[in-house]
């Protein structure tokens, strides 16, 4: 496709579905990010990183529950690797934070 065709398809989509696009931009994107930034003030950076890292796994789980989507072999492999990485990061970061707190006399 040429750039002009792509631009025309984008304009057609916007003009054909303005309310859906407003909803997607205002509610599912802006509101979700706003609420997340408010809630993140109450959570440690380590814990927030775990939630961010697991986002694709949550997405796949909700797609399965709500839409009946299924993961193939590589999807399960990817979700497992993400979960293992997040768990490893959590254990390593939390134990490091505990050691730092102990060395500073913080209980």
């Amino acid at each position: 496709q040429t750039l002009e065709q792509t631009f025309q398809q984008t304009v057609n989509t916007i003009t054909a579905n303005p309310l859906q696009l407003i909803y997607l931009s205002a509610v599912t994107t802006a509101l979700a990010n706003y609420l997340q930034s408010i809630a993140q003030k109450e959570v440690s950076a380590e814990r927030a990183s775990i939630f961010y890292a697991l986002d694709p796994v949550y997405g796949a789980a909700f797609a399965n529950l709500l839409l009946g989507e299924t993961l193939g072999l590589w999807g399960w492999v990817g979700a497992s690797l993400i979960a293992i990485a997040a768990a490893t990061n959590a254990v390593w970061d939390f134990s490091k934070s505990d050691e730092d707190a102990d060395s500073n006399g913080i209980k």
Side-chain angles (χ1 to χ4, degrees):
Q1 287 187 8
T2 67
L3 183 60
E4 185 176 326
Q5 289 173 326
T6 302
F7 179 76
Q8 188 58 46
Q9 287 178 339
T10 303
V11 170
N12 290 342
T13 301
I14 292 170
T15 56
N17 305 295
L19 294 178
Q20 293 89 336
L21 291 172
I22 291 170
Y23 172 78
L24 285 173
S25 62
V27 176
T28 63
T29 303
L31 181 61
N33 285 329
Y34 174 71
L35 293 174
Q36 182 175 355
S37 67
I38 290 173
Q40 194 171 335
K41 292 177 185 176
E42 305 298 323
V43 177
S44 69
E46 293 86 6
R47 193 155 300 197
S49 71
I50 294 167
F51 286 116
Y52 280 127
L54 290 173
D55 191 45
V57 178
Y58 300 143
F62 283 119
N64 177 267
L65 291 172
L66 300 175
L67 304 173
E69 297 280 333
T70 57
L71 285 179
L73 174 64
W74 289 112
W76 282 108
V77 169
S80 299
L81 289 173
I82 291 170
I84 290 167
T88 304
N89 183 44
V91 169
W92 185 69
D93 280 346
F94 289 136
S95 65
K96 184 177 175 183
S97 296
D98 290 343
E99 290 171 6
D100 291 344
D102 289 343
S103 67
N104 292 330
I106 302 171
K107 299 277 179 175

